Short mmCIF file of all heavy atoms in Angstrom, two decimals:
data_model
loop_
_atom_site.label_atom_id
_atom_site.label_comp_id
_atom_site.label_asym_id
_atom_site.label_seq_id
_atom_site.Cartn_x
_atom_site.Cartn_y
_atom_site.Cartn_z
N GLY A 15 -3.72 34.08 12.49
CA GLY A 15 -5.01 34.63 12.12
C GLY A 15 -5.51 34.19 10.76
O GLY A 15 -6.71 34.25 10.49
N GLN A 16 -4.59 33.74 9.93
CA GLN A 16 -4.99 33.28 8.60
C GLN A 16 -5.51 31.85 8.67
O GLN A 16 -5.50 31.21 9.72
CB GLN A 16 -3.80 33.38 7.63
CG GLN A 16 -3.38 34.80 7.32
CD GLN A 16 -2.27 34.86 6.27
OE1 GLN A 16 -1.40 34.00 6.21
NE2 GLN A 16 -2.32 35.90 5.43
N SER A 17 -5.97 31.35 7.52
CA SER A 17 -6.46 29.99 7.41
C SER A 17 -5.61 29.21 6.42
O SER A 17 -5.07 29.80 5.47
CB SER A 17 -7.91 29.97 6.94
OG SER A 17 -8.76 30.59 7.87
N ILE A 18 -5.48 27.90 6.67
CA ILE A 18 -4.77 27.05 5.73
C ILE A 18 -5.56 25.77 5.53
O ILE A 18 -6.38 25.38 6.37
CB ILE A 18 -3.34 26.71 6.22
CG1 ILE A 18 -3.39 25.94 7.55
CG2 ILE A 18 -2.50 27.96 6.33
CD1 ILE A 18 -3.31 24.44 7.38
N THR A 19 -5.28 25.13 4.41
CA THR A 19 -5.88 23.84 4.11
C THR A 19 -4.79 22.88 3.69
O THR A 19 -3.95 23.22 2.84
CB THR A 19 -6.94 23.94 3.01
OG1 THR A 19 -8.01 24.77 3.45
CG2 THR A 19 -7.49 22.57 2.66
N ILE A 20 -4.79 21.70 4.30
CA ILE A 20 -3.83 20.65 3.96
C ILE A 20 -4.58 19.54 3.25
O ILE A 20 -5.59 19.05 3.77
CB ILE A 20 -3.15 20.11 5.23
CG1 ILE A 20 -2.37 21.22 5.95
CG2 ILE A 20 -2.21 18.95 4.88
CD1 ILE A 20 -1.83 20.81 7.31
N SER A 21 -4.09 19.13 2.11
CA SER A 21 -4.74 18.08 1.34
C SER A 21 -4.11 16.71 1.62
O SER A 21 -2.95 16.62 2.04
CB SER A 21 -4.67 18.38 -0.15
OG SER A 21 -3.32 18.46 -0.57
N CYS A 22 -4.88 15.69 1.36
CA CYS A 22 -4.46 14.31 1.57
C CYS A 22 -5.08 13.49 0.44
O CYS A 22 -6.28 13.22 0.45
CB CYS A 22 -4.95 13.84 2.93
SG CYS A 22 -4.78 12.07 3.28
N THR A 23 -4.25 13.11 -0.52
CA THR A 23 -4.77 12.45 -1.71
C THR A 23 -4.44 10.97 -1.72
O THR A 23 -3.29 10.58 -1.53
CB THR A 23 -4.21 13.11 -2.97
OG1 THR A 23 -4.58 14.50 -2.97
CG2 THR A 23 -4.77 12.45 -4.22
N GLY A 24 -5.46 10.18 -1.95
CA GLY A 24 -5.29 8.73 -2.05
C GLY A 24 -5.92 8.21 -3.32
O GLY A 24 -5.80 8.84 -4.37
N THR A 25 -6.57 7.07 -3.19
CA THR A 25 -7.21 6.43 -4.33
C THR A 25 -8.62 5.99 -3.94
O THR A 25 -9.05 6.17 -2.79
CB THR A 25 -6.41 5.20 -4.78
OG1 THR A 25 -6.52 4.20 -3.75
CG2 THR A 25 -4.94 5.53 -5.02
N SER A 26 -9.29 5.36 -4.88
CA SER A 26 -10.63 4.85 -4.61
C SER A 26 -10.57 3.64 -3.66
O SER A 26 -11.60 3.22 -3.15
CB SER A 26 -11.32 4.45 -5.90
OG SER A 26 -10.56 3.48 -6.60
N SER A 27 -9.36 3.12 -3.44
CA SER A 27 -9.19 1.98 -2.54
C SER A 27 -8.98 2.40 -1.09
O SER A 27 -8.92 1.55 -0.20
CB SER A 27 -8.00 1.12 -2.97
OG SER A 27 -8.24 0.55 -4.25
N ASP A 28 -8.85 3.68 -0.86
CA ASP A 28 -8.70 4.16 0.51
C ASP A 28 -9.54 5.42 0.73
O ASP A 28 -10.74 5.31 1.03
CB ASP A 28 -7.22 4.38 0.89
CG ASP A 28 -6.37 4.96 -0.24
OD1 ASP A 28 -6.67 6.09 -0.67
OD2 ASP A 28 -5.43 4.29 -0.69
N VAL A 29 -8.96 6.59 0.56
CA VAL A 29 -9.69 7.83 0.86
C VAL A 29 -11.04 7.91 0.13
O VAL A 29 -12.06 8.24 0.74
CB VAL A 29 -8.83 9.06 0.50
CG1 VAL A 29 -9.64 10.35 0.67
CG2 VAL A 29 -7.56 9.11 1.35
N GLY A 30 -11.02 7.60 -1.14
CA GLY A 30 -12.24 7.73 -1.95
C GLY A 30 -13.29 6.69 -1.67
O GLY A 30 -14.46 6.87 -2.01
N GLY A 31 -12.87 5.58 -1.06
CA GLY A 31 -13.80 4.47 -0.87
C GLY A 31 -14.52 4.44 0.46
O GLY A 31 -15.50 3.71 0.62
N TYR A 32 -14.03 5.20 1.42
CA TYR A 32 -14.59 5.15 2.77
C TYR A 32 -14.58 6.52 3.43
O TYR A 32 -13.72 7.35 3.12
CB TYR A 32 -13.74 4.20 3.65
CG TYR A 32 -13.55 2.83 3.08
CD1 TYR A 32 -12.42 2.55 2.29
CD2 TYR A 32 -14.47 1.81 3.29
CE1 TYR A 32 -12.23 1.29 1.74
CE2 TYR A 32 -14.28 0.55 2.76
CZ TYR A 32 -13.17 0.30 1.98
OH TYR A 32 -12.98 -0.96 1.45
N ASN A 33 -15.49 6.72 4.34
CA ASN A 33 -15.48 7.95 5.15
C ASN A 33 -14.74 7.71 6.46
O ASN A 33 -15.19 8.09 7.54
CB ASN A 33 -16.90 8.42 5.42
CG ASN A 33 -17.55 9.00 4.17
OD1 ASN A 33 -16.88 9.65 3.36
ND2 ASN A 33 -18.83 8.75 3.99
N PHE A 34 -13.59 7.04 6.33
CA PHE A 34 -12.75 6.73 7.48
C PHE A 34 -11.38 7.38 7.30
O PHE A 34 -10.37 6.72 7.12
CB PHE A 34 -12.61 5.22 7.66
CG PHE A 34 -13.88 4.54 8.07
CD1 PHE A 34 -14.26 3.34 7.48
CD2 PHE A 34 -14.69 5.09 9.05
CE1 PHE A 34 -15.42 2.71 7.88
CE2 PHE A 34 -15.87 4.46 9.44
CZ PHE A 34 -16.24 3.26 8.85
N VAL A 35 -11.38 8.71 7.34
CA VAL A 35 -10.16 9.49 7.25
C VAL A 35 -10.03 10.30 8.54
O VAL A 35 -11.01 10.91 8.99
CB VAL A 35 -10.18 10.47 6.04
CG1 VAL A 35 -8.93 11.35 6.06
CG2 VAL A 35 -10.29 9.69 4.74
N SER A 36 -8.85 10.28 9.10
CA SER A 36 -8.62 11.07 10.31
C SER A 36 -7.32 11.85 10.18
O SER A 36 -6.49 11.56 9.31
CB SER A 36 -8.60 10.18 11.57
OG SER A 36 -7.77 9.06 11.42
N TRP A 37 -7.20 12.86 11.02
CA TRP A 37 -6.06 13.77 10.98
C TRP A 37 -5.41 13.85 12.37
O TRP A 37 -6.12 13.93 13.38
CB TRP A 37 -6.50 15.16 10.56
CG TRP A 37 -6.93 15.26 9.12
CD1 TRP A 37 -8.17 15.04 8.62
CD2 TRP A 37 -6.08 15.59 8.02
NE1 TRP A 37 -8.16 15.22 7.25
CE2 TRP A 37 -6.90 15.57 6.85
CE3 TRP A 37 -4.73 15.93 7.88
CZ2 TRP A 37 -6.40 15.87 5.58
CZ3 TRP A 37 -4.24 16.21 6.62
CH2 TRP A 37 -5.07 16.18 5.49
N TYR A 38 -4.07 13.89 12.38
CA TYR A 38 -3.31 13.91 13.62
C TYR A 38 -2.31 15.05 13.62
O TYR A 38 -1.67 15.33 12.61
CB TYR A 38 -2.61 12.56 13.84
CG TYR A 38 -3.63 11.46 13.95
CD1 TYR A 38 -4.19 10.90 12.81
CD2 TYR A 38 -4.13 11.07 15.18
CE1 TYR A 38 -5.21 9.97 12.89
CE2 TYR A 38 -5.14 10.13 15.28
CZ TYR A 38 -5.68 9.60 14.13
OH TYR A 38 -6.70 8.68 14.22
N GLN A 39 -2.21 15.69 14.75
CA GLN A 39 -1.24 16.76 14.98
C GLN A 39 -0.10 16.19 15.82
O GLN A 39 -0.34 15.49 16.81
CB GLN A 39 -1.90 17.90 15.75
CG GLN A 39 -0.99 19.04 16.14
CD GLN A 39 -1.67 19.97 17.13
OE1 GLN A 39 -1.96 19.63 18.26
NE2 GLN A 39 -1.97 21.19 16.67
#
Side-chain angles (χ1 to χ4, degrees):
Chain A
Q16 292 185 325
S17 297
I18 61 96
T19 297
I20 299 172
S21 61
C22 170
T23 301
T25 68
S26 58
S27 296
D28 38 63
V29 174
Y32 307 92
N33 288 324
F34 292 137
V35 175
S36 49
W37 290 89
Y38 298 82
Q39 176 191 67

